[in-house]
Amino acid sequence: TRAIHEFDGTVDSVCPFCGVGCQTTINVKDGRIVQVDGRDGPANENRLCVKGRFGYDYVMSPERLTKPLIRRDDAPKAGDIDMRFMKVTDIFREASWEEALERAASGIAKIRDERGGGALAGFGSAKGSNEEAYLFQKLIRQGFGTNNVDHCTRLCHASSVAALLEGVGSGAVSAPFTDALKADCIVVIGARPATNHPVAATYFKQAAKDGKKLIVIDPRRQELMRHASHPVQFTPGSDVALLNAVLHVIVDEKLYDEQYIQAHVDGFDALREKVRDFSPEAMAEVCGVSAETIRDVARTYATAERSIIFWGMGISQHTHGTDNSRGLIALSLITGHVGRPGTGLHPLRGQNNVQGASDAGLIPMMYPDYRLVENADVRASMEDFWGRSLDPKRGLTVVEIMDAIHAGDISGMYIMGENPAMSDPDQHHARAALAKLDHLVVQDIFLTETCWHADVVLPASAQAEKWGTYTNTNRQVQIGRPALDPPGEARQDWELIVELANRIGLDWQYDGVGAVYTEMASVMPSLKHISWERLLAEDSVTYPVSEPGGFGNEVIFTDGFPTADGRGRLVPADLRPPDEVPDEDYPLVLTTGRLLEHWHTGAMTRRATVLDDIEPEGIAAMNPREIGRHGFKPGQMIAVETRRGTIQAVLRADREVADGMIFMPFCFNESPANVLTNPQLDPFGKIPEFKYCAARVSRVAQA
Ligand code: SF4
């Protein structure tokens, strides 16, 4: 074992992976990160999962981009280009920073000046800091002249946020996940925390061990169910039926909190009317859950002194994702399980800074702090603040931007740290769109699949190489510190955004990340009383803070909601089937998600040696019974096909996957699951239906 005195230095920072936001200590020796330890942060109390502890060496990968690249004039730009089998020099040539930045900026300015700002778009990243998100959306709005700016929140909790803003006036969680320890009943639905939020899962397991009721609801079995008082496996896509049946029991048996509803909630009569026909007996077959279990879940949740709900992509990534979230909000509001410690609504945020990036305005319909771009008064105040007139129309979302490229409406993009060539649904369509762009600038640390289509690639900094703040799922704003310098000629992301801004006609002057934070905080009331200096001193502050120097409010909605009239709003949901249901040709349900060891599109974790050694290849998981029915054998290569394409993957036997289902992670570029997924959107949150489409499987002939 290595003694601590052998390190050359240690730096306190935060984990770069999931939204839990574990605080870390990075240990450096001979200019390399050699060990990462957990710190006593509010979200992790010294704990780390396998990604946080062993996933750090991607930072030192020999694959890091170290010089700016410009696409060669003779290089192909086709949608199906696959650089895994090509040399970088076949496509790109190295360039000086001056040439690359000038090429990047002049291409953007040309499109803006000839076609207008609406012909441009930008994707920022939830992996970046709050300061980078703020600067990026400011550049797109102020410099490009459009609200076509979005990021991967559109692919994860956009529907949850749509429902939360509509129902309770805020997209943020109402209580931290550590409040599971104060709850009497914990509901985890459509989330797999042991895989995707592993340190948060330790709190849920502890609560169960302490005797609290733990209700885990998911179409796939999962590890957390072993700790649950109520493990409930239900039919995929039947979320609204199940939630309405639970609401039916609470209404029918008068388990709701009449006093709380009268004081704080509108819409109860319409909800009561809607759920009347959703008796557990009527819904049992639809959901694949017995009426008795539905009643037990409803009674356990409603009658507990303190109940809290956690949810994830299983709720949000549906064409009825907003309806699913509306059901959860209704559960919380009619029972008064909100606004007190141990109660509330908590959409578990996926990426390390997806909360912060959304707060900072990296979304097409809102400025920082969720103020609508279409509100003339709000827009006037931002025009005043930024000194430019701004686009009055809301911008396009992630998938809409790809469609707009195909339609010829958008011809230039700036993408920072996002990898839509892997993360977008219907991947062939997305990659063909990227290839069709007249001008694509990608800023990243690796030559990602998105870079394959770029005209200019700007080598940027990894999280362990820069200052910045990150807001985790608990609304805790935390500071990240640099442990290493970026490799070669790679530069800080915020500096590159400023370079582009000034080369397309703006005049931005910042003397460091702290100055960016201070400007951002001055237009974000949510960050009141949280100064850069305070973050440097305290490392983590929860927003909102009510008074100078005061503690952050961990629990919000203690006396009503931040809506126009201070009241919550119930929105009943109807049954709508998934967009594409199994049929004779495609008889199985395909669902996608993540693995414990890999994070999102795998750009980082697939270059982390330990993590990629544990999960090194693309898999398709099916129940052993289903495998037997198909006459397959685990370990063989199979083809998975949907109406959008076919890919091959190694078949894995997995008892957690229900009969009739296939599960595929979307992080493997050799088996890219998003070739298969359905781009159909939820009408409110504009999120695609990653969790459900019709598929079929077949044997692959061995060579
Ligand atoms: Fe990092 Fe999330 Fe693991 Fe914590 S739980 S160490 S934040 S990946």
Side-chain angles (χ1 to χ4, degrees), residues 76-237:
K77 208 179 170 187
D80 57 358
I81 189 170
D82 189 344
M83 283 196 62
R84 289 179 303 144
F85 308 112
M86 302 171 81
K87 288 196 286 214
V88 176
T89 49
D90 290 342
I91 306 292
F92 297 104
R93 64 176 173 83
E94 292 180 355
S96 68
W97 269 113
E98 181 56 31
E99 185 189 6
L101 287 168
E102 206 41 49
R103 178 76 75 98
S106 60
I108 290 165
K110 183 168 184 284
I111 292 171
R112 178 196 61 189
D113 297 343
E114 288 177 0
R115 300 192 60 202
L120 292 166
F123 288 166
S125 172
K127 295 194 283 287
S129 66
N130 288 322
E131 296 75 25
E132 290 160 1
Y134 172 77
L135 282 185
F136 191 90
Q137 60 85 38
K138 180 180 169 183
L139 170 66
I140 303 295
R141 294 191 155 112
Q142 190 195 32
F144 289 18
T146 176
N147 289 307
N148 292 338
V149 58
D150 209 355
H151 74 293
C152 60
T153 191
R154 196 66 42 210
L155 308 177
C156 68
H157 266 306
S159 50
S160 309
V161 171
L164 286 164
L165 287 171
E166 166 194 82
V168 297
S170 164
V173 303
S174 74
F177 62 73
T178 42
D179 261 30
L181 297 176
K182 298 176 186 161
D184 301 295
C185 171
I186 301 136
V187 175
V188 177
I189 179 166
R192 301 172 71 83
T195 301
N196 301 322
H197 302 84
V199 167
T202 65
Y203 290 88
F204 305 155
K205 291 176 194 171
Q206 183 62 49
K209 211 170 166 188
D210 293 345
K212 312 298 177 64
K213 301 293 183 200
L214 176 60
I215 301 169
V216 181
I217 306 173
D218 200 58
R220 282 192 288 152
R221 286 197 70 76
Q222 57 170 287
E223 199 227 315
L224 202 58
M225 285 184 179
R226 290 200 281 121
H227 305 262
S229 56
H230 297 69
V232 181
Q233 194 172 3
F234 73 109
T235 304

Side-chain angles (χ1 to χ4, degrees), residues 15 17-22 47-53 197-200:
C15 177
F17 295 111
C18 89
V20 170
C22 295
R47 305 165 212 198
L48 291 179
C49 79
V50 67
K51 287 191 286 290
R53 194 174 294 284
H197 302 84
V199 167

Side-chain angles (χ1 to χ4, degrees), residues 513-525:
V513 179
V516 180
Y517 177 88
T518 301
E519 177 182 309
M520 175 180 71
S522 73
V523 283
M524 292 179 64

